[in-house]
Amino acid sequence: MTVRELRQKYLEFFQSKDHKLFPSSSLVPYDVTGRLDESLLFTGAGMVQFKPYFRGLAKPPHPRLTNSQKVVRTGDIESVGNLSHLTFFEMLGNFSFGDYFKAGAIAYSWEFLTSADWLGLDPNRLAATVFEEDDEAYAEWSKNLPPHRIFRLGEETNFWPAGSFTNGPPGPCGPNAEMFYWTSDTEPPPGAPYTVEDFLRDDADGKWLEIGNDVFIQYEWKGRLRNPARPADGYVKESMDPLPFKSVDNGRGLERTAAVIAGLKSVYDTEAFIPILEKISSLDRSDRSYKYYPEDAPEARAMRIIADHIRTACFCIADGVLPSNTGRGYVLRRLIRRAVLKGQRVLGFEEPFFHLLYDPVRESMNGFYPELDERADVIRETLLNEERLFRRTLAQGSTLLQEELLQVQAGLAGELAFKLYDTYGFPLEVTQELCAEAGVEVDLEGYEKAMAGAQERSRGSSEMDTVYGAQGEPLLLSISSNATTQSTFVGYDRTEHVSELSQISPRFDADGRTTGQFQIALNETPFYAESGGQVGDTGVIESDEFRFRVTDTFKEGGFIWHDAVLE
């Protein structure tokens, strides 16, 4: 069964159970009412757009829905490159809003997995885990599985979101039951008590591989940030109240389930990745395919990283996310640069290559996501420009870093890591990755101290002429003393023009920090502003001190304003 056949079969199964088909939402986490979910960078689960339905704040078009949701998860980027982790994947989902609950959800999951009319998996190779306090879910799974293949686990694995029973984040939540498949060539030991660790290893070599998750949404977790200046410190619990009704959010990773059904060891062996890996292999001057290398070879791992990251990059750009120094754009930039670094240093790709992988991504999706076709030119151009920019950055900073690595034995000084960032635009993650190759750790505490010192010095200078970038670095902008009080359009006969900066307005996040997004006005501009049904121009505004990517242009108050992202 191919990936696209599995997707179709899943949707058909739940439509046969009176679920209405619902489209995937954007990777930018907007809910069904059009509200941006400020607690998330990306849509990381199928239920994100349905939060108003779970809360009873909006009425769903039907009490039962099903879809295939595109998802980005970035919490374990460093694990990508093994045989199972992905940053982008499709989440097959079925949802009940005040309709069936635990009994119905588990019965549907079991039928879909084991029935000969659907997936036909061997029941003797299936296991389940439930929340340690959820007797009801345990009893339902006991109708299908023997006791030695049902495990009670804690909130970090079996309460969704992970750890939210005590630590948040705020939002709809509840216990969950996960389904696992025995991936080894051997039979599961009959009657043997498995250990908890058997279900905590998220890779094919761990024998038990998760292929589904029924979340029983029944509470609203309420809390406040422990430290608003440091969201990573987590939340203080205020209450966990019952929702107006009980609901179900079932999700299973499309690519992983396809690999299990086909008896494959890795998601990268499915046709979701084969066209991409074949294209990467064709760029290798040695003409060696992905299968040529042992699975643990650096070249094979590099190809898997590139194949994963190009899918994430294409879908992010298709949904309007552009590389930048903050938020979603920063994650996208990090993924692109990590992939380019692997292509250049491990596979020896001397010329820009990342944009060439767009076509196999589109091919592997077979038209299921039309946004890939609709924004093809933007995707290719963004990938190419970002790689060119990064290759220049690498060339400027690599020499200094390599010289320093020859001198150090234990660790790279934080001050030097910050200098590479501050002077050459070297992201910290790139410095860490290059140092890891040499067996050297970066002094992160020293890096943070150097960053804080630079910020303090910058704030002591003229605030009138300073804008702070997304990571807190100073971006010095000298506003022209000849700046006018309006903008003049000069783009009738040109697409490039040397102009003077009139005004710049940074956008701030909830903590008062700049987001990397700005609105810029120039004395004269070749950018056409949105008018009469024609969309605003896009392009680049740059000088020796900065570079902005313009995403839109509009008129207001006599000025032509450019929505721009700092690069």
Side-chain angles (χ1 to χ4, degrees), residues 466-486:
T466 303
V467 173
Y468 295 97
Q471 304 303 312
E473 81 280 14
L475 174 69
L476 298 178
L477 301 174
S478 299
I479 306 298
S480 170
S481 59
N482 298 320
T484 63
T485 57
Q486 62 181 7

Side-chain angles (χ1 to χ4, degrees), residues 79-100:
S79 296
V80 173
N82 67 10
L83 298 181
S84 63
H85 275 88
L86 301 172
T87 54
F88 172 87
F89 60 95
E90 292 183 71
M91 181 72 82
L92 299 171
N94 58 278
F95 307 89
S96 163
F97 307 103
D99 195 69
Y100 62 85

Side-chain angles (χ1 to χ4, degrees), residues 421-563:
Y421 169 74
D422 192 43
T423 305
Y424 299 101
F426 238 52
L428 176 61
E429 292 83 8
V430 171
T431 300
Q432 289 178 298
E433 192 130 359
L434 294 175
C435 287
E437 293 177 5
V440 172
E441 292 187 3
V442 177
D443 174 17
L444 296 181
E445 184 176 342
Y447 176 89
E448 295 293 339
K449 185 177 180 180
M451 171 74 81
Q455 292 176 352
E456 193 63 34
R457 290 191 299 273
S458 297
R459 293 187 179 98
S461 63
S462 173
E463 295 274 355
M464 294 297 293
D465 297 330
T466 303
V467 173
Y468 295 97
Q471 304 303 312
E473 81 280 14
L475 174 69
L476 298 178
L477 301 174
S478 299
I479 306 298
S480 170
S481 59
N482 298 320
T484 63
T485 57
Q486 62 181 7
S487 303
T488 302
F489 177 66
V490 296
Y492 291 110
D493 58 357
R494 70 192 74 177
T495 58
E496 295 184 3
H497 185 66
V498 177
S499 186
E500 295 179 339
L501 188 66
S502 291
Q503 292 191 43
I504 181 167
S505 175
R507 295 181 178 179
F508 297 91
D509 63 18
D511 297 324
R513 297 171 297 193
T514 53
T515 64
Q517 298 176 312
F518 296 80
Q519 290 183 334
I520 298 172
L522 305 173
N523 284 12
E524 299 174 331
T525 179
F527 288 81
Y528 183 83
E530 181 178 358
S531 179
Q534 183 171 337
V535 298
D537 280 345
T538 62
V540 172
I541 297 174
E542 63 182 344
S543 76
D544 293 338
E545 297 173 301
F546 59 80
R547 176 184 170 91
F548 290 95
R549 174 152 298 280
V550 176
T551 59
D552 196 10
T553 310
F554 63 97
K555 291 181 180 179
E556 186 175 298
F559 284 104
I560 297 175
W561 291 95
H562 310 78
D563 277 336

Side-chain angles (χ1 to χ4, degrees), residues 279-529:
K279 181 63 177 181
I280 296 171
S281 298
S282 74
L283 301 174
D284 190 337
R285 291 182 178 179
S286 66
D287 199 29
R288 291 172 176 170
S289 70
Y290 168 68
K291 288 298 184 181
Y292 169 85
Y293 300 103
E295 65 184 32
D296 58 350
E299 295 87 351
R301 182 177 178 85
M303 288 184 179
R304 290 193 293 267
I305 289 172
I306 293 169
D308 169 79
H309 290 3
I310 184 61
R311 297 205 322 159
T312 309
C314 286
F315 274 95
C316 282
I317 297 168
D319 280 348
V321 179
L322 294 175
S324 71
N325 286 341
T326 189
R328 300 177 190 92
Y330 179 73
V331 173
L332 173 60
R333 170 163 285 170
R334 179 185 176 189
L335 292 176
I336 293 175
R337 292 184 170 190
R338 186 170 186 247
V340 170
L341 194 66
K342 293 299 182 184
Q344 184 188 66
R345 295 180 63 85
V346 180
L347 302 178
F349 296 159
E350 298 178 357
E351 299 296 328
F353 71 93
F354 207 47
H355 65 293
L356 301 176
L357 304 180
Y358 159 77
D359 285 329
V361 171
R362 181 176 57 82
E363 175 190 343
S364 68
M365 290 299 165
N366 196 33
F368 191 77
Y369 293 102
E371 59 267 33
L372 287 178
D373 292 317
E374 294 166 359
R375 304 208 71 194
D377 291 342
V378 175
I379 294 170
R380 288 195 190 96
E381 180 184 358
T382 301
L383 294 174
L384 177 58
N385 289 342
E386 184 65 16
E387 180 168 358
R388 283 174 172 168
L389 175 65
F390 181 49
R391 283 180 178 267
R392 288 199 299 268
T393 296
L394 277 176
Q396 291 170 341
S398 290
T399 300
L400 175 61
L401 178 58
Q402 294 301 329
E403 290 175 353
E404 184 66 24
L405 287 176
L406 293 175
Q407 307 297 321
V408 300
Q409 298 295 325
L412 186 76
E415 289 185 2
L416 177 63
F418 178 72
K419 179 180 179 181
L420 286 167
Y421 169 74
D422 192 43
T423 305
Y424 299 101
F426 238 52
L428 176 61
E429 292 83 8
V430 171
T431 300
Q432 289 178 298
E433 192 130 359
L434 294 175
C435 287
E437 293 177 5
V440 172
E441 292 187 3
V442 177
D443 174 17
L444 296 181
E445 184 176 342
Y447 176 89
E448 295 293 339
K449 185 177 180 180
M451 171 74 81
Q455 292 176 352
E456 193 63 34
R457 290 191 299 273
S458 297
R459 293 187 179 98
S461 63
S462 173
E463 295 274 355
M464 294 297 293
D465 297 330
T466 303
V467 173
Y468 295 97
Q471 304 303 312
E473 81 280 14
L475 174 69
L476 298 178
L477 301 174
S478 299
I479 306 298
S480 170
S481 59
N482 298 320
T484 63
T485 57
Q486 62 181 7
S487 303
T488 302
F489 177 66
V490 296
Y492 291 110
D493 58 357
R494 70 192 74 177
T495 58
E496 295 184 3
H497 185 66
V498 177
S499 186
E500 295 179 339
L501 188 66
S502 291
Q503 292 191 43
I504 181 167
S505 175
R507 295 181 178 179
F508 297 91
D509 63 18
D511 297 324
R513 297 171 297 193
T514 53
T515 64
Q517 298 176 312
F518 296 80
Q519 290 183 334
I520 298 172
L522 305 173
N523 284 12
E524 299 174 331
T525 179
F527 288 81
Y528 183 83

